[in-house]
Amino acid sequence: MLTERQLMILQVIIDDFIESAQPVGSRAISKKSNISFSSATIRNEMADLEEMGFLEKTHSSSGRVPSEKGYRYYVDHLAAPRSSGSDTKLIHNSVQDGFFEFEQIAQKSAEILSDITNYTSIILGPEVLDTKLKQLQIVTLSKQNAVVILVTDNGHVEHRSFSIPEEISSSDLEKMVNILNDRLRGVPLIQLPEKLNSEIVMLMKRYISDFEKSFNYIKQAFFNENPVKLYFGGKTNILTQPEFNDINKVRSFYSMMENENEIARLLKETHNGIKVTIGHENKADAIKDLSLITATYQLNGEQMGTIAIIGPTRMEYKRVISLLNTLSHEMSDALYLWNKNNE
Amino acid sequence: MLTERQLMILQVIIDDFIESAQPVGSRAISKKSNISFSSATIRNEMADLEEMGFLEKTHSSSGRVPSEKGYRYYVDHLAAPRSSGSDTKLIHNSVQDGFFEFEQIAQKSAEILSDITNYTSIILGPEVLDTKLKQLQIVTLSKQNAVVILVTDNGHVEHRSFSIPEEISSSDLEKMVNILNDRLRGVPLIQLPEKLNSEIVMLMKRYISDFEKSFNYIKQAFFNENPVKLYFGGKTNILTQPEFNDINKVRSFYSMMENENEIARLLKETHNGIKVTIGHENKADAIKDLSLITATYQLNGEQMGTIAIIGPTRMEYKRVISLLNTLSHEMSDALYLWNKNNE
DNA sequence: CATTAGCACTCGGTGATTGAGAGTGCTAAC
DNA sequence: GTTAGCACTCTCAATCACCGAGTGCTAATG
């Protein structure tokens, strides 16, 4: 469909625009070292590319700017991922550097990703639902107060304070914890509320009277939480992008970022591999003039979570794609190792 | 120094400007129902007030705008705190509604504060340094991995995963935890590193060989943390304030907000009571055209932490001061009750 | 026939000019 | 002491001319 030369010109225009954020004129292109045609020739080609929808003008006598279709073509055909050794090393080090806890690594990776790209990065943690309860613990602080601590088999820890009903003695508490541990160890978190309600409540009532009130509080505290966690990096980076000189864009972007559920939903749409969503391809209104690039990470082939970068449609696709690729593999590898040790 | 009438006019101007964000003209003032002088008279008074430094003009023929000195006078003499019943109720409910955990309450209060004011709120948590260790717990996840959990006497929980050196058997681990609990229970967190290094290390070495490596990791994980925690509310609220139409202001504000240490330092300067810092009175450059209002909360008369609101110098001082006052008392009360139960 | 030089044309951006409107300071009258 | 009146100042928005970057088209070129 496109001639060799058109491809080349399209590529040059997009590369140039990604770098400069300025409309690209025919003269500027003709001066590039790898271009040997006159500006007039290029003008003709650009007119054709515009007609086909790959380029746009900001006004009738301006230089050309890539359209969303142009970007789409660019990422699909033109943007061979370009990996930088130093970037790769940075990511590698951050992931390998003591992989003890997923939360740490995710947070750190999100920060590095946003630091080296100047975009905003988001990492979607694995669903906690299929993690299993490892241990339940109650630490009493005083006669009235105690902390329940819940540890999952992947090392995640949740805790919640509660006040001890007067009727419950400390030996009762101990009994209760023992029962719970006995019965609930190994139960997937997602089944916990149900298990608690059916089997356990009955059992407990036999041992301890009137424990329901305080127990409800604990249950609620643990299971109303978001079932999924997001790690952000560089939330304010977009402020340095020229396309965000408009306060209203900033506003709508941030109000969107506050809605974690929506973001999680967006990120979950990726299924294995890297997905680039450009401008209006995005379903969420607030990022209809931004691009979202997502990649997944896996454990034993099963998708665990998503890494994402949000930036202007004028994004360094090549670099970002390669970065996400690297990080995705690093995280998958680390998860695999960690899991193997954990068997 | 100021006549009755000048006071009145100053007050009206500031109130009006706080509401409208527009320079206030003499004619507008003369029309207010509680003002019975002509615009000419008011012009004369305004000229005097300007000469004294309480008012400013944005240009030679504009209406007047309060100067920082004007705001200062306003909060010191004119702004009798005006408490709204519904605000008070909101705060009261949020604080009372299940005071089991400080973190929850602080987070929720910060959010409510920012929601009802449209400014940004920050709550500085109590120094964790003088809380004491209540219990240490190690939960093994597998042969290689484990989680250390540290509970303080005020219900704060910290945890960190680590990998178990191969030399350590699970019975060794148990021993280690027992020793640690024995020796460290009741020790103030601030003394923990020291204690660990002096007494405990020696003791442990006798029981367990080569535990140092993994132990160092734990130590580091726990004690490199910020010794103080900040809870933010409404970080994006300032975007709705007209004074933040300038992207550069937004940028400098956010880059300041990312520096938690500096913010903590600012908030710590308050000592009992409410403190209003207007514009250039602030030491931090990034908020030299903003106002910061702080209040402390106490436990048994001892200052525990700070509540703060950041907004434009054109801030609803009356309302904010009264809100902070209310919240400060509510939090102090709640802390007191909680502490009493905890004895 | 593809390429290119040349040129008229278009449009955004800048700076100067203008008039309206809001507000002031000052003076003179009350 | 207060106020009406008025000249003056300055912002803001609209208008205009002009420049420059860039285009589209045509005609000449190899």
Side-chain angles (χ1 to χ4, degrees):
Chain A
M1 190 85 177
L2 290 180
T3 68
E4 197 69 21
R5 191 166 68 190
Q6 285 173 329
L7 285 181
M8 182 173 223
I9 291 177
L10 182 58
Q11 167 123 16
V12 169
I13 291 179
I14 298 188
D15 281 338
D16 191 289
F17 183 71
I18 283 177
E19 195 193 319
S20 71
Q22 297 297 325
V24 186
S26 56
R27 216 176 106 79
I29 295 177
S30 72
K31 276 188 187 158
K32 301 257 170 187
S33 62
N34 52 342
I35 298 281
S36 53
F37 318 100
S38 76
S39 63
T41 309
I42 291 168
R43 275 202 291 285
N44 289 329
E45 297 286 30
M46 289 202 298
D48 290 349
L49 284 168
E50 183 176 358
E51 209 161 298
M52 289 183 273
F54 295 111
L55 296 178
E56 286 170 352
K57 285 188 282 197
T58 60
H59 58 88
S60 77
S61 73
S62 75
R64 298 307 204 291
V65 156
S67 67
E68 289 183 4
K69 184 176 170 188
Y71 284 124
R72 169 51 59 200
Y73 195 90
Y74 178 81
V75 307
D76 287 347
H77 303 96
L78 265 29
R82 196 205 57 203
S83 68
S84 136
S86 64
D87 288 350
T88 309
K89 216 175 275 172
L90 263 172
I91 290 178
H92 181 82
N93 290 340
S94 111
V95 175
Q96 297 301 322
D97 177 19
F99 183 65
F100 295 122
E101 234 167 309
F102 181 81
E103 322 212 339
Q104 277 186 343
I105 213 172
Q107 190 53 54
K108 210 162 144 201
S109 299
E111 275 158 23
I112 287 195
L113 217 46
S114 58
D115 277 356
I116 61 185
T117 59
N118 244 317
Y119 306 125
T120 298
S121 68
I122 310 172
I123 294 184
L124 175 76
E127 305 269 346
V128 292
L129 298 182
D130 46 300
T131 61
K132 298 183 184 111
L133 182 70
K134 186 76 192 182
Q135 190 159 343
L136 209 84
Q137 201 91 42
I138 294 192
V139 176
T140 58
L141 304 170
S142 69
K143 285 216 175 75
Q144 275 90 20
N145 287 302
V147 184
V148 212
I149 300 170
L150 179 154
V151 186
T152 68
D153 61 350
N154 64 356
H156 185 73
V157 176
E158 294 266 0
H159 66 94
R160 202 58 89 217
S161 296
F162 71 108
S163 71
I164 310 169
E166 290 190 11
E167 310 81 35
I168 301 184
S169 72
S170 69
S171 73
D172 277 350
L173 252 189
E174 213 168 295
K175 254 190 263 171
M176 174 163 144
V177 173
N178 285 339
I179 297 174
L180 287 174
N181 268 317
D182 246 32
R183 292 283 173 142
L184 297 179
R185 198 183 309 257
V187 169
L189 286 200
I190 195 172
Q191 292 173 19
L192 268 191
E194 181 196 337
K195 275 256 182 286
L196 280 172
N197 277 332
S198 60
E199 300 179 38
I200 314 296
V201 166
M202 303 300 290
L203 194 65
M204 299 289 284
K205 271 194 176 148
R206 220 176 299 158
Y207 288 85
I208 305 151
S209 58
D210 192 31
F211 80 114
E212 215 156 341
K213 199 174 49 186
S214 76
F215 206 67
N216 273 337
Y217 172 71
I218 303 177
K219 252 168 51 190
Q220 167 198 347
F222 280 137
F223 303 111
N224 278 356
E225 295 248 319
N226 276 342
V228 62
K229 191 140 172 44
L230 293 174
Y231 306 85
F232 290 92
K235 270 190 177 179
T236 62
N237 278 3
I238 55 141
L239 292 175
T240 67
Q241 301 290 342
E243 18 275 289
F244 276 89
N245 267 347
D246 177 5
I247 283 272
N248 289 319
K249 281 194 186 173
V250 177
R251 267 202 262 280
S252 83
F253 178 75
Y254 280 125
S255 69
M256 144 119 198
M257 293 292 274
E258 279 175 0
N259 185 347
E260 298 212 348
N261 287 332
E262 185 173 4
I263 292 178
R265 205 166 38 71
L266 276 177
L267 298 203
K268 277 183 193 159
E269 283 178 8
T270 316
H271 296 297
N272 279 357
I274 292 196
K275 184 172 162 198
V276 181
T277 325
I278 299 163
H280 285 79
E281 296 170 5
N282 283 298
K283 280 174 192 157
D285 277 348
I287 55 170
K288 280 233 186 294
D289 53 0
L290 300 176
S291 281
L292 173 71
I293 307 189
T294 56
T296 58
Y297 53 92
Q298 290 87 29
L299 173 57
N300 297 329
E302 194 185 348
Q303 177 176 335
M304 297 302 289
T306 309
I307 315 163
I309 286 205
I310 297 186
T313 49
R314 180 188 64 78
M315 196 194 271
E316 294 184 82
Y317 292 99
K318 295 179 185 177
R319 181 148 168 259
V320 170
I321 288 173
S322 124
L323 281 174
L324 286 193
N325 207 21
T326 308
L327 181 56
S328 147
H329 283 120
E330 290 285 348
M331 285 182 65
S332 297
D333 289 354
L335 267 179
Y336 171 77
L337 274 179
W338 187 83
N339 190 61
K340 210 176 69 178
N341 286 341
N342 239 16
E343 305 247 300
Chain B
M1 191 86 179
L2 290 181
T3 69
E4 196 70 20
R5 191 166 67 189
Q6 285 172 329
L7 286 180
M8 181 173 222
I9 291 177
L10 182 58
Q11 167 123 15
V12 169
I13 291 179
I14 298 188
D15 281 338
D16 190 290
F17 183 72
I18 284 177
E19 195 194 320
S20 72
Q22 297 296 325
V24 186
S26 57
R27 216 176 106 79
I29 295 178
S30 72
K31 277 190 189 156
K32 301 258 172 190
S33 61
N34 51 342
I35 299 281
S36 54
F37 318 100
S38 75
S39 63
T41 308
I42 291 168
R43 276 202 290 284
N44 290 330
E45 297 286 30
M46 291 202 297
D48 290 348
L49 285 168
E50 182 176 358
E51 209 162 298
M52 289 184 270
F54 295 112
L55 295 178
E56 285 171 352
K57 285 189 280 197
T58 60
H59 58 88
S60 76
S61 74
S62 75
R64 298 307 204 291
V65 155
S67 69
E68 288 182 5
K69 184 176 171 190
Y71 284 124
R72 170 50 60 200
Y73 195 90
Y74 177 81
V75 306
D76 287 347
H77 303 98
L78 265 28
R82 197 207 55 204
S83 68
S84 134
S86 64
D87 289 349
T88 310
K89 215 175 278 173
L90 264 173
I91 290 178
H92 181 81
N93 289 341
S94 111
V95 174
Q96 297 302 323
D97 178 19
F99 183 65
F100 296 122
E101 237 167 307
F102 182 82
E103 321 211 340
Q104 277 185 343
I105 212 171
Q107 190 52 55
K108 210 161 143 204
S109 299
E111 276 158 22
I112 286 195
L113 217 46
S114 58
D115 277 357
I116 62 185
T117 60
N118 243 319
Y119 307 125
T120 299
S121 69
I122 310 173
I123 293 183
L124 176 75
E127 304 269 347
V128 291
L129 298 180
D130 45 299
T131 61
K132 298 183 183 112
L133 183 70
K134 185 77 192 181
Q135 190 159 343
L136 211 83
Q137 200 90 44
I138 294 192
V139 177
T140 57
L141 304 170
S142 67
K143 283 216 175 76
Q144 276 90 18
N145 288 301
V147 184
V148 213
I149 300 171
L150 180 154
V151 185
T152 68
D153 62 350
N154 63 357
H156 185 74
V157 176
E158 293 265 1
H159 64 95
R160 204 56 90 215
S161 296
F162 71 107
S163 70
I164 309 168
E166 290 189 14
E167 309 82 36
I168 300 185
S169 71
S170 69
S171 73
D172 277 352
L173 252 189
E174 213 167 294
K175 255 190 263 171
M176 174 162 144
V177 173
N178 285 337
I179 296 173
L180 287 174
N181 268 317
D182 245 33
R183 293 281 174 143
L184 297 180
R185 198 182 309 255
V187 169
L189 285 199
I190 195 171
Q191 292 173 20
L192 267 190
E194 182 195 335
K195 274 255 174 35
L196 280 173
N197 277 333
S198 60
E199 301 178 36
I200 313 296
V201 166
M202 305 299 291
L203 194 65
M204 300 290 284
K205 273 195 175 146
R206 220 177 299 159
Y207 288 85
I208 305 153
S209 58
D210 191 30
F211 81 113
E212 213 155 344
K213 198 173 51 186
S214 78
F215 206 69
N216 271 337
Y217 172 71
I218 302 177
K219 251 169 50 192
Q220 168 197 345
F222 280 138
F223 303 111
N224 278 357
E225 294 249 321
N226 276 342
V228 62
K229 191 137 172 46
L230 293 173
Y231 305 85
F232 290 92
K235 270 190 177 179
T236 62
N237 278 3
I238 55 142
L239 292 175
T240 67
Q241 301 291 341
E243 18 273 290
F244 276 90
N245 266 348
D246 178 5
I247 282 273
N248 289 319
K249 281 195 186 172
V250 178
R251 268 201 262 277
S252 82
F253 177 76
Y254 280 125
S255 69
M256 145 120 198
M257 292 292 276
E258 279 175 359
N259 186 347
E260 298 212 348
N261 286 332
E262 185 173 4
I263 292 177
R265 205 167 37 71
L266 275 177
L267 297 204
K268 276 185 195 158
E269 282 177 9
T270 315
H271 297 298
N272 279 0
I274 292 198
K275 185 172 163 198
V276 180
T277 324
I278 298 164
H280 284 80
E281 296 170 5
N282 283 299
K283 281 174 189 156
D285 277 348
I287 56 171
K288 280 231 186 297
D289 52 359
L290 300 177
S291 282
L292 174 70
I293 307 188
T294 56
T296 58
Y297 54 91
Q298 291 87 29
L299 173 57
N300 298 328
E302 195 185 346
Q303 177 177 334
M304 297 303 288
T306 309
I307 315 165
I309 286 208
I310 297 186
T313 49
R314 180 189 63 79
M315 196 193 275
E316 292 183 84
Y317 292 99
K318 295 180 186 177
R319 179 146 170 260
V320 170
I321 288 173
S322 125
L323 281 175
L324 286 192
N325 208 19
T326 307
L327 181 55
S328 147
H329 283 121
E330 289 285 348
M331 284 182 66
S332 298
D333 289 354
L335 268 178
Y336 172 77
L337 273 181
W338 188 82
N339 191 62
K340 211 178 65 179
N341 285 342
N342 239 18
E343 304 247 296

